[in-house]
Amino acid sequence: MTVEQAVFLFTSALILFSGFMMVTRRNLVHAALYLIVALFGVAVIFVLLEAGFLAVVQVLVYIGAIAILMIFAVMLTRGDISKEQEPVNADFGWALMLAALFCFGLIILIGQWPAVNSQAPALSAETDTVFELGSALVSPDAYVIPFEVASVLLLAALIGALVVARPHKKSK
Amino acid sequence: MSFINDPITFLAEWITQFLGGFLPEAWVTFIVTLLGVIITASFGLVFVIFLIWLERKIAARFQDRLGPNRAGPFGLLQTFADIVKLITKEDVIPEKADKLTFNIAPILSVVAVLLIWAVVPFAPGWIGTDLNVGVLYIAAVGSFGILSILMAGWSSNNKYALLGAFRAVAQLISYEVPMLVTLMVPVLLARSMGMMTMVESQDLWFIFLAPISAIIFLVSSIAEVGRTPFDLIEAESEIVAGYHTEYTGMKFGLFFAAEFLHAFTIGVLFAIFFLGGWRGPGAEQFRLLGVVYLMLKGLLGYFVVMWVRSTLPRIRIDHMLAFNWKFLTPLSLALLVMTAILDKVFGDTALRFPVLLAGNGSVLLVTWLALRWTSRRHTKERRVFKKRPVAKPA
């Protein structure tokens, strides 16, 4: 077993463990903290795949976002957030069935995907992955349209939030 | 490579050879890397002992006092006495606190700052790891700092601590926006996110190409550390001590050390992004000189932070948010667009410096006009009171 395999196994175990802990905690903040551990584990997996940019963005976006999520959890959930609450409700069975169906479907789909069994060609040591990614995002024969559509969507969300939050002049 | 030119590489090679005699290669790499990590991390933590003394001394001079002067020459040993005091204090954990989270939070706050030092280029070839996304990495590990504050505030089970944590997250996340947008400017100018390339491409220091961005970076960094005038997160007149109200002894000491180390770290980052990092006469030849240059430039940035801290009062919370969203963020976005266009057109010509400087000047002019216009509008709205008779000397 190489060092990388050992790190991969340890991280995967950590991700699964904290994912399990996250959905079973009765305390909302504990669940959020376990979620952070799980997402950080995913960042470690990205590092193992030599996708440094993705790893850093994973930490930047998710861990920063979860701080905000926790604040909203504290502010918006009713009553005292430290109160222990039952994590499952009456629709537990349906959720379990849907999740199992979804998982099964994903396994079949990914199993049929040809890239699973083939090994990707190794990048040469001089490839600057960030440069390649940046060029691909703005290149017309790569991802420029999804990239622009995503930015328009984000802008629309931003303006929408401003419109919703704006004080109405008529109600003065 | 001789010892005088490059002592660290010399020592690393010597240790590698020595251990290589009786250990497999993987172990040697592991041990040498571990030594590097320990040296880099301890450098920061030991340096902070000196920094606390320095800051107390300088803040004292600003306020016309002497500062620590009893323990050791010039009070140099004062911090050691404080450390001993903090360690011997009773460690109190509130009964209703969330114990694990409560204990992890101070450690995480120090780790979040120490992680930045992994990508600090000390001298040519001396860098923990030269990530090709170094700048983004710095922003990413900053979110651990926010997390540690939130964990500390929530787990203390104290209303003031939670309020402090709320304020902290509002402030830190807001000020991350202009800071990240401004960091794009040196990235654009260096055409790389790697920290080593950043320093190597500064034949002309970036502060001359992007002076306003440099100032915005410093201001938003001060807000990220949460120092005066942005110390609303631990405003003692309003919320006791903010998120670390319940911490005692060395756990409080860890938050304290993290804050000082972070303040110095932003000085060092300022030096790397805008003041040419380790560059200076003879730094290529004698690498230790590069470290000296970097530390001197970092202390210069740190001095500005201290200067601001001892001069300005705390700002109000709505002013803090308005200043960020209505002033810093639009200004940094305008600077980014301006720099991107001008640097694309004139980047490789001799006109780069004058054109970018003129661009910065015109952005400054537009900002000034806009501010004047808005302030005039506000003055009109201000209530004018009737003139009252004034007592006159007979």
Side-chain angles (χ1 to χ4, degrees):
Chain A
M1 191 163 69
T2 63
V3 181
E4 281 188 9
Q5 280 170 329
V7 174
F8 173 76
L9 284 178
F10 175 74
T11 319
S12 314
L14 186 72
I15 294 173
L16 289 176
F17 169 74
S18 38
F20 177 75
M21 294 297 272
M22 186 226 146
V23 292
T24 50
R25 284 314 84 188
R26 283 154 189 250
N27 187 316
L28 209 53
V29 177
H30 284 171
L33 290 175
Y34 276 113
L35 183 60
I36 289 172
V37 178
L39 291 170
F40 185 71
V42 176
V44 175
I45 300 272
F46 278 137
V47 172
L48 281 180
L49 294 170
E50 295 187 13
F53 181 77
L54 282 182
V56 169
V57 168
Q58 170 91 9
V59 172
L60 182 66
V61 172
Y62 284 100
I63 295 185
I66 284 176
I68 303 182
L69 180 84
M70 269 164 77
I71 285 198
F72 278 100
V74 173
M75 285 197 303
L76 298 181
T77 49
R78 73 201 121 114
D80 183 12
I81 62 148
S82 304
K83 200 168 65 185
E84 313 239 307
Q85 286 163 342
E86 196 61 34
V88 292
N89 61 12
D91 294 329
F92 178 71
W94 287 104
L96 188 70
M97 206 178 77
L98 271 177
L101 206 69
F102 200 69
C103 177
F104 191 62
L106 269 182
I107 289 173
I108 290 178
L109 266 180
I110 293 176
Q112 283 175 347
W113 191 34
V116 166
N117 292 319
S118 66
Q119 192 153 20
L123 291 170
S124 74
E126 273 132 49
T127 323
D128 187 351
T129 46
V130 181
F131 182 80
E132 297 288 327
L133 183 70
S135 322
L137 279 181
V138 290
S139 143
D141 34 328
Y143 304 106
V144 70
I145 291 179
F147 181 67
E148 290 298 329
V149 168
S151 52
V152 169
L153 186 72
L154 285 176
L155 186 67
L158 201 66
I159 294 172
L162 280 179
V163 170
V164 170
R166 216 173 69 150
H168 296 287
K169 283 194 175 167
K170 278 180 188 169
S171 62
K172 246 184 194 172
Chain B
M1 205 50 87
S2 73
F3 181 75
I4 298 178
N5 287 348
D6 190 351
I8 299 276
T9 316
F10 183 83
L11 281 179
E13 274 169 9
W14 186 79
I15 294 171
T16 314
Q17 272 180 2
F18 174 71
L19 291 177
F22 51 91
L23 276 176
E25 205 186 325
W27 276 100
V28 176
T29 320
F30 177 74
I31 291 174
V32 172
T33 314
L34 191 70
L35 275 178
V37 171
I38 291 172
I39 289 171
T40 316
S42 338
F43 176 79
L45 282 176
V46 172
F47 207 68
V48 83
I49 297 175
F50 167 68
L51 288 177
I52 291 174
W53 171 81
L54 186 74
E55 171 139 7
R56 290 183 61 182
K57 212 64 180 166
I58 291 180
R61 300 312 306 179
F62 271 114
Q63 296 161 355
D64 203 11
R65 293 184 286 118
L66 285 175
N69 56 14
R70 295 285 149 172
F74 310 108
L76 261 170
L77 298 178
Q78 183 63 47
T79 317
F80 291 97
D82 288 342
I83 293 172
V84 171
K85 183 191 77 177
L86 281 173
I87 290 175
T88 50
K89 289 264 177 190
E90 187 191 355
D91 175 37
V92 181
I93 300 177
E95 198 184 320
K96 290 283 177 66
D98 195 279
K99 304 239 164 23
L100 187 63
T101 323
F102 187 81
N103 288 330
I104 289 176
I107 302 171
L108 194 64
S109 78
V110 176
V111 168
V113 183
L114 281 182
L115 279 174
I116 296 179
W117 286 81
V119 294
V120 166
F122 287 96
W126 291 7
I127 182 167
T129 166
D130 194 8
L131 290 177
N132 59 357
V133 286
V135 176
L136 211 56
Y137 169 86
I138 290 174
V141 293
S143 46
F144 286 114
I146 302 180
L147 193 66
S148 75
I149 290 177
L150 192 59
M151 281 165 72
W154 176 78
S155 66
S156 300
N157 204 358
N158 174 319
K159 286 198 178 85
Y160 292 115
L162 191 61
L163 279 175
F166 271 28
R167 283 184 174 195
V169 175
Q171 174 175 324
L172 300 194
I173 285 174
S174 306
Y175 277 84
E176 225 172 40
V177 175
M179 193 174 92
L180 282 182
V181 174
T182 315
L183 274 184
M184 297 286 285
V185 171
V187 168
L188 271 175
L189 295 173
R191 289 170 177 70
S192 167
M193 285 201 279
M195 299 294 274
M196 215 45 165
T197 329
M198 180 77 69
V199 175
E200 277 160 4
S201 58
Q202 292 189 51
D203 290 326
L204 181 64
W205 292 1
F206 287 161
I207 193 168
F208 297 117
L209 296 174
I212 308 179
S213 304
I215 295 169
I216 295 181
F217 174 73
L218 202 60
V219 170
S220 47
S221 299
I222 293 175
E224 283 285 302
V225 187
R227 301 202 122 193
T228 328
F230 297 101
D231 65 339
L232 305 128
I233 52 184
E234 41 193 85
E236 51 291 291
S237 53
E238 298 160 29
I239 47 172
V240 191
Y243 60 91
H244 54 60
T245 303
E246 295 286 357
Y247 282 89
T248 54
M250 205 53 208
K251 281 184 204 156
F252 163 74
L254 284 178
F255 280 120
F256 191 70
E259 191 208 307
F260 275 78
L261 188 58
H262 198 178
F264 178 63
T265 308
I266 63 170
V268 170
L269 291 179
F270 183 74
I272 293 167
F273 291 133
F274 295 102
L275 298 181
W278 44 257
R279 292 181 77 120
E284 300 271 354
Q285 194 65 34
F286 301 102
R287 299 198 168 170
L288 217 51
L289 262 183
V291 181
V292 174
Y293 289 140
L294 179 68
M295 289 301 132
L296 284 179
K297 288 171 182 175
L299 283 174
L300 185 74
Y302 185 50
F303 179 75
V304 177
V305 176
M306 283 193 276
W307 188 3
V308 171
R309 185 191 186 215
S310 5
T311 315
L312 293 177
R314 182 183 305 136
I315 61 174
R316 229 167 62 192
I317 193 158
D318 56 329
H319 287 178
M320 181 271 283
L321 286 171
F323 178 62
N324 176 53
W325 292 109
K326 295 183 183 168
F327 181 74
L328 285 184
T329 306
L331 184 58
S332 57
L333 281 170
L335 280 168
L336 176 65
V337 174
M338 188 273 301
T339 314
I341 294 172
L342 290 186
D343 197 48
K344 181 77 186 169
V345 179
F346 298 100
D348 300 322
T349 62
L351 283 174
R352 190 190 195 198
F353 173 50
V355 163
L356 275 174
L357 208 58
N360 268 284
S362 43
V363 169
L364 198 63
L365 188 71
V366 171
T367 318
W368 182 69
L369 288 175
L371 281 179
R372 242 178 68 124
W373 181 67
T374 45
S375 78
R376 195 185 298 159
R377 230 177 39 158
H378 277 278
T379 331
K380 269 184 196 162
E381 287 167 9
R382 205 173 280 159
R383 280 172 69 187
V384 183
F385 291 99
K386 222 188 280 174
K387 271 196 179 166
R388 284 184 294 189
V390 184
K392 280 179 197 157

